[in-house]
Amino acid sequence: MIHLPRRPRRNRRTAAIRELTQETTLSVSDLIFPLFVLEGTGIKSEIKSMPGIFRFSLDTLLEELHEVTDLGIKSICLFPNYPESKKDKIATESYQQNTLYLNALRAIKDRFPDLTLMTDVAMDPYSSDGHDGYVENGEIVNDISLEILGKMAVAQAKAGADILGPSDMMDGRVGYIRQLLDSEGYSNVSIMSYSAKYASAFYGPFRDALNSAPRFGDKKTYQMNPANVREALLEAQLDFDEGADFLMVKPALPYLDIIKLLNDNFNIPIAAYNVSGEYAMIKAASQNGWIDGERAMLEALMSIRRAGAKAILTYFAKEVAQIQNG
Ligand code: PBG
């Protein structure tokens, strides 16, 4: 045998040694499970482009949460699906005391006080224009949007949210929301900012789920250009300075370099959103027998952790928990 001082394969020889030398781990505690709520009772309707993911009415959602928490999932993010009749130009429904979304938040906090409850702060589920901000003459107007997002944020905090997730990409919204929360007595409510949110094709299945696609144009005047890296640093710096507790990158897999960049540059936890289209791709290929879905899922999530994300929002959370529970 020839003498080789370095044989990296020695560290891969047995399963135990491979585990001993494993640099990155993936645990259920790293995951946030996104869920969709809609009006009505007894409803559990599967989203066609997201096999295994459902829209729940509040009653079935609470049942689902028993299963979710029994699996050891500790954090969820809730999104609402509203009928057209509840939408208007200024997202009025988003801060009505008795609206579906706020009722759901209160009911969840009441039944599951230990579950970390994350929300979405953006106008699109309530907007007749299907945009994340206020639209005037075809333009998404930044500063008017902030006022609406602020009301929405305070209402969500009041309803029991632990972490607010501004996903709208308006300028200055993190600082605006932070200031309002503090002045209203919610200094303990966290902000996970969608800091580098790209104008992506991978949100398609989510917009189907919520029927929230833009009614005209696209989201390119507020979401980021997929070609840009330095702009992500700027967005992250602003959100950091404005008081964000977490910086999020979205989508995850096509933007692993951005996750690493933010993790290298900011000393607060980085999160990544493994979005609907990323989920759909793995599910579709797996259903066709083209890839091993379970292995592909674990590999994809591990790569997001390896890039530097501490927390991952993923529709795969239950499946990971099921595997880890043995
Ligand atoms: C919108 C919002 C989107 C997602 C989360 N919040 C879609 C969009 O920006 O159009 C996407 C999540 C996913 O695709 O899983 N405020």
Side-chain angles (χ1 to χ4, degrees), residues 113-272:
D114 296 333
L115 187 63
T116 300
L117 188 50
M118 177 172 165
T119 60
D120 187 52
V121 181
M123 286 175 61
D124 54 327
Y126 321 90
S127 155
S128 46
D129 293 304
H131 277 285
D132 295 19
Y134 173 72
V135 178
E136 203 174 74
N137 302 324
E139 191 192 321
I140 289 74
V141 187
N142 198 84
D143 299 8
I144 297 176
S145 304
L146 295 189
E147 292 174 28
I148 299 166
L149 296 166
K151 286 187 203 171
M152 191 184 304
V154 169
Q156 293 173 0
K158 196 170 170 189
D162 295 292
I163 303 178
L164 304 187
S167 67
D168 52 278
M169 290 300 278
M170 295 301 119
D171 292 337
R173 87 267 204 222
V174 170
Y176 187 89
I177 292 170
R178 183 70 272 160
Q179 208 154 22
L180 258 186
L181 289 175
D182 289 358
S183 71
E184 300 279 330
Y186 298 107
S187 57
N188 283 338
V189 173
S190 306
I191 297 178
M192 181 184 290
S193 179
Y194 288 63
S195 299
K197 178 173 180 181
Y198 286 86
S200 170
F202 291 98
Y203 309 146
F206 175 96
R207 293 179 190 171
D208 293 345
L210 296 192
N211 188 27
S212 65
R215 306 297 185 256
F216 71 88
D218 51 42
K219 299 192 173 184
K220 290 181 185 168
T221 68
Y222 44 107
Q223 298 182 350
M224 285 177 52
N225 180 344
N228 292 356
V229 178
R230 297 171 66 248
E231 197 178 0
L233 269 182
L234 172 63
E235 286 285 2
Q237 185 69 55
L238 288 168
D239 289 353
F240 180 87
D241 293 344
E242 291 173 30
D245 300 285
F246 297 78
L247 303 175
M248 190 210 293
V249 175
K250 175 184 180 185
L253 293 173
Y255 300 93
L256 294 178
D257 56 331
I258 309 298
I259 295 173
K260 171 150 171 55
L261 182 74
L262 297 199
N263 192 49
D264 287 347
N265 283 283
F266 295 94
N267 293 326
I268 55 175
I270 305 302

